[in-house]
Amino acid sequence: MSPAMTKKDKLLVLLGILGLFLLNYPLLQIFNCEYMSFGVPILTWYLFGIWVLAIIGLLAFGHLISKEYKAQTTYGE
Amino acid sequence: MLSPGLVAAIAFGYLLLLFAIAYYGDRRRARGRSVIANPYIYTLSLAVYCTAWTFFGSVGKAATQGATFLTIYLGPTIMAFFWWFVLRKLLRVCKDNNLTTMSDFLTLRYGKGTFLGAMVTLGVLLAVVPYIGLQLKSVSDTFNILVYQKIISPLTTPVYQDTAFYVALVLVVFGILFGARHLDPTERHEGMVAAVAFESLIKLLAFLAVGVLVTYGIFHGWGEIFGGISQDPKFRQLLQINTGAHDSYILIMVQTFLAMGAILFLPRQFHMAVVENTDEKHILTAMWLLPLYLLLINLFVMPIAFGGLLLGFPPSQADTFVLRIPLEGGHPYLALLTFIGGLSASTAMVAVGSIAVSTMLLNSLVLPLAIRLKLQERLPPYLLTIKRAGILLVILLGYITYRLIGPSAMLVDMGLIAFCGVAQLAPAILGALYWRESTKYGAIAGLGSGFFLWAYTLVLPYLVEAGMFPTDILEHGPLGLAFLKPTAFLGLTGLDVLSHAFFWSLFFNVGTFVSVSLLTASSPLEEEQAWRFVDVFELEEGMPVERRYTYLPNLDQFTRFMEKFIGTPKAAEAQQAFLRQVNTPEKEWGDREKLQLQSYVERTIAGSIGPAAARVIMDGYLSSLGSRMEGVFDLFGQVSSSLEESQQKLKRRVAELSVLYEAARTLTSTLYLPELIEGVLDLLVERLGVEKCSVRLLDEEGMLTIKSYRGLNHLAPITSVKPEIGSLLGQCLLTPQVISVSDTSLMGGDRLEGLLEEETMASFVLAPITTETLALGVLSAASSQKGYFAREHVEFFQSLAGQLGAAVRSAQQVAHQIRNPVHAIGGFAHLLLKKLPKDSDTRNYAEIIIKEAKRLEQMVREVIETSVIFVPREEEQDINQVVRGALGIIRSKIEEKHIDLKVELTENLPPLTMDVGNMKRVILQLVANALDAMFFGGHLRLSTAHQDGMVEIKVADNGKGIPAHMLPHIFDTFFSTKPSGPGLGLPIVHKIIVQHRGEIFIESKENVGTTVTIRLPTTKPEQ
């Protein structure tokens, strides 16, 4: 059993809130311009970049939490 | 070009393949080797999120609005960060309670009423049905494009020529075969999950194939496509956002929030993520893998959309670029693969969505209605048929909406309407999980206002557009009231329709949910559920026993009961599962296991009929067997149910428990009363830090004297007082009850009479030391701090004083038993001494025996003297009054059981001298016994009479009677004719009657009835 949220759980929630900020006005405004890089608009780079970072972050946290999460609860048959 | 026959055959073949996969999945589950119990299949099953709307609609949206479509997939990615926090908790609650839909979840949390569930179901139905229509449209449109190169409008085709109609029928069969082949109490369909996971893979591969073709086959990479678009003045604004209302920052924010809600609260997502989950650890994989899946399936959306525009396809056809580009670019088989990909996306959504919604319909609408119409007895054989009919209904409704409003809306709009609809569930569900004070009325107000405003500001405008309502409403407001215009509610303008609807619906939803919750109180049932939901991770395996049924069916009876709802094989499975779970043979079950069984059965049938119906049916079943619920005082249960208390308080509770435990040990380790009392007082001071405490006991004159104390001055024992009912001390002893005073300055002086000055400085507690019928003394604890003793201390002191009482009583009994033998031993030893010659060794031994016997006698005397029997309060009273008073208390129970009651009281009986409270207790106990003996109605007769200087009271029933071999033991303590129950009733009755110098007789014949006769003397007791 893991009753209360661990610090890692809280950090994960914090990152989610950060993601919400990164993908909304006003931070979005910074990248909303005509500038293109390697033929692709900077906004597209930015959105997909955040996406990739989020996936990496989630992957890392998933691994960390599953290591600590001993008490498995299986809902089989 | 592709022939209709070929496309139809391939589509049909593909569906057969899916069915084969599903069949395989179900077979494997039956053998206990699940194919879906791994995190990757779980992730792919969650990708049911990507419907035809993703497959075709994303491109459509990208080609008209640029990057804003990404919010629909970035929202779930952000939400993935909260999954471990929210989804895991939701999962735990649902698995613990066997909940299979969101309406069941809310119904259970907010007090098992039916209204809330019905409202949620209707709201969700309204949101999801057009969404299903959208999938039908998608399959039919893509089929027609593939075969006839054009979309055929349903407005111009009759139903029997409409491809979508046949698609709907195929999907109904598909849904029934996958989701309703048999009844399953857990609502889990492993076969379907396996098929959906496979479909998720196919749709991703198909989309990536088209993406690669467009990006690298037709064009030379992203650079060329984006470069081309940026050069084109018509399309270059697509590369930016916030260029107008259609891609504003506000809309982006709204869509992100909606998508965050949708990934959890869409019925199909809830079904896949919660109901079909096999292990909560899978969340940890899905939380990064699903975002990756979403990223991959969106990677080529912009290249395809912009590529299509650059190739000269009109933006109005953007919804079908994915299909048209390969088809017209000379890759018909790739187009066919795309069609299969789109088909996968649609069929998966329709199958899961229709199953989830039909379960909701069954559990929250059909069954509660059937129960209201009293049809629940006849319903079980039809449950499966009703479920299948539900799937048919949901899909056909989807088809009807498609025909009515489908053609007027682009694919994406329907999806967002559904997203906004299910977003209304978010406050109530999150409140259920995290906010203990949220109430049923709050949830009803929030969901009601939210759903209404959503329908009014978002659904209605589309219905108007489809020509179902006059356009006046949109232009001038209903009845010309401009401030009620659906798209500018209360005069709010400047927002797009979606943001406007989102704002108003959730503004009212959250506002009323919170405010009404704060203004209303939750029922005890809701409070219990709130605790179970909010603190789900704190719950331990063994739930405290807080209630108990007077009678519960055994496991076989319960299994037969379950069979009606889930079928024989599943009921047998459930029975075995329960036996494994409790891990104790049925013979050894106590109240806890029986109660566990009852709630297990209720949860199991709740899986197929919903918690509201399950509760009504379970209650009906139990009451038909003559069972009723009663509370059980359980100190440990109380402790775990008040976990919300601060840690400080909790520590004190733990200390209290250890005191009780130690006290129990002390009490059983010694019979010597002074030692025992000292031990208890020491525990109070050492473990609980009680400043001052004392034990007062009654002596022969009925005076209360302090026998032992801690923290009081040394003169304390000298004071002894007569307990008067007007003083707190007397009230505590005579009523008897625990009295807690948190601030003595608010008390009148005479109420504190008999207590020491030191005890009444700020706050104190008095607890009566009693046995079953006698008051022996008072345990007191005091503090110089106001409000030191909280409400929960009352229970603690009651327990402790009760233990002391029991110890005193057993000490008394043992002392009485020992006294005579000890006398005899002493006496005979004296005789021996006289006969033995002087100076012999034997004589020495006899002297030792005499000495020890004297010591023992002294001890026994002390024990007996310190515990004097208290004379009950006696007054003159008419026995008929007492009988009437007792009947007044228990009458509702008599009526509840439909028992025919006859009362024949002889008037003008001579008044009796008695303890009215005790005598009332006697009558109540006898009537309660009679009620217990009669299961299905019966006759109960109460009469009084006057005969030979005695007053006679008779209680006669025609119940099941008492077996002859049990009659002689009927007044023994702890003997009971019932299989369960403490067996204290009749012994107490006997004692009270003997105290009143009366007699009690029981005549009983099995299956004929029992008559209890009490005879009390009319003469006054000698003073």
Side-chain angles (χ1 to χ4, degrees), chain B residues 559 562-574:
Chain B
T559 310
M562 283 193 289
E563 278 171 10
K564 290 192 217 164
F565 299 94
I566 59 173
T568 312
K570 293 281 174 192
E573 258 175 47

Side-chain angles (χ1 to χ4, degrees), chain B residues 373-602:
Chain B
L373 299 174
K374 306 226 180 290
L375 291 174
Q376 67 264 39
E377 300 291 322
R378 288 194 234 149
L379 213 53
Y382 305 109
L383 284 177
L384 191 59
T385 318
I386 295 172
K387 187 141 209 187
R388 290 174 178 165
I391 293 176
L392 178 76
L393 178 78
V394 171
I395 296 179
L396 283 187
L397 280 176
Y399 176 70
I400 292 168
T401 39
Y402 155 69
R403 284 199 60 101
L404 290 178
I405 60 166
S408 65
M410 277 185 77
L411 288 183
V412 167
D413 293 334
M414 302 264 205
L416 282 173
I417 292 173
F419 276 30
C420 195
V422 296
Q424 306 309 323
L425 298 168
I429 290 186
L430 294 178
L433 285 176
Y434 296 101
W435 191 34
R436 204 184 297 274
E437 284 160 319
S438 54
T439 67
K440 177 169 84 181
Y441 298 106
I444 289 177
L447 281 164
S449 58
F451 274 131
F452 174 76
L453 280 165
W454 161 73
Y456 185 69
T457 57
L458 195 56
V459 181
L460 186 65
Y462 280 97
L463 296 181
V464 172
E465 227 173 273
M468 295 174 70
F469 288 93
T471 49
D472 269 13
I473 298 178
L474 278 189
E475 284 159 16
H476 309 293
L479 309 171
L481 299 169
F483 68 99
L484 289 179
K485 267 199 282 187
T487 49
F489 192 64
L490 301 186
L492 180 68
T493 53
L495 284 174
D496 58 284
V497 179
L498 183 69
S499 305
H500 174 264
F502 175 83
F503 172 75
W504 279 125
S505 60
L506 277 160
F507 177 74
F508 275 93
N509 186 336
V510 174
T512 52
F513 173 58
V514 174
S515 56
V516 174
S517 284
L518 291 176
L519 290 172
T520 53
S522 36
S523 66
L525 186 68
E526 265 181 273
E527 254 169 47
E528 188 191 327
Q529 291 303 342
W531 162 60
R532 278 166 197 264
F533 277 48
V534 175
D535 294 331
V536 65
F537 290 116
E538 277 79 8
L539 297 182
E540 289 303 321
E541 280 291 301
M543 294 290 292
V545 180
E546 284 174 340
R547 60 208 169 109
R548 132 178 113 185
Y549 287 88
T550 47
Y551 168 77
L552 276 179
N554 62 28
L555 187 57
D556 283 334
Q557 285 169 307
F558 262 136
T559 310
R560 278 197 294 284
F561 171 67
M562 283 193 289
E563 278 171 10
K564 290 192 217 164
F565 299 94
I566 59 173
T568 312
K570 293 281 174 192
E573 258 175 47
Q575 180 188 23
Q576 290 309 314
F578 182 76
L579 282 173
R580 276 197 303 276
Q581 190 187 318
V582 292
N583 208 11
T584 322
E586 194 179 352
K587 276 183 225 154
E588 291 164 26
W589 286 359
D591 278 345
R592 183 181 295 275
E593 283 81 8
K594 283 186 184 165
L595 201 69
Q596 258 179 1
L597 174 66
Q598 183 267 331
S599 80
Y600 176 83
V601 171
E602 187 175 323

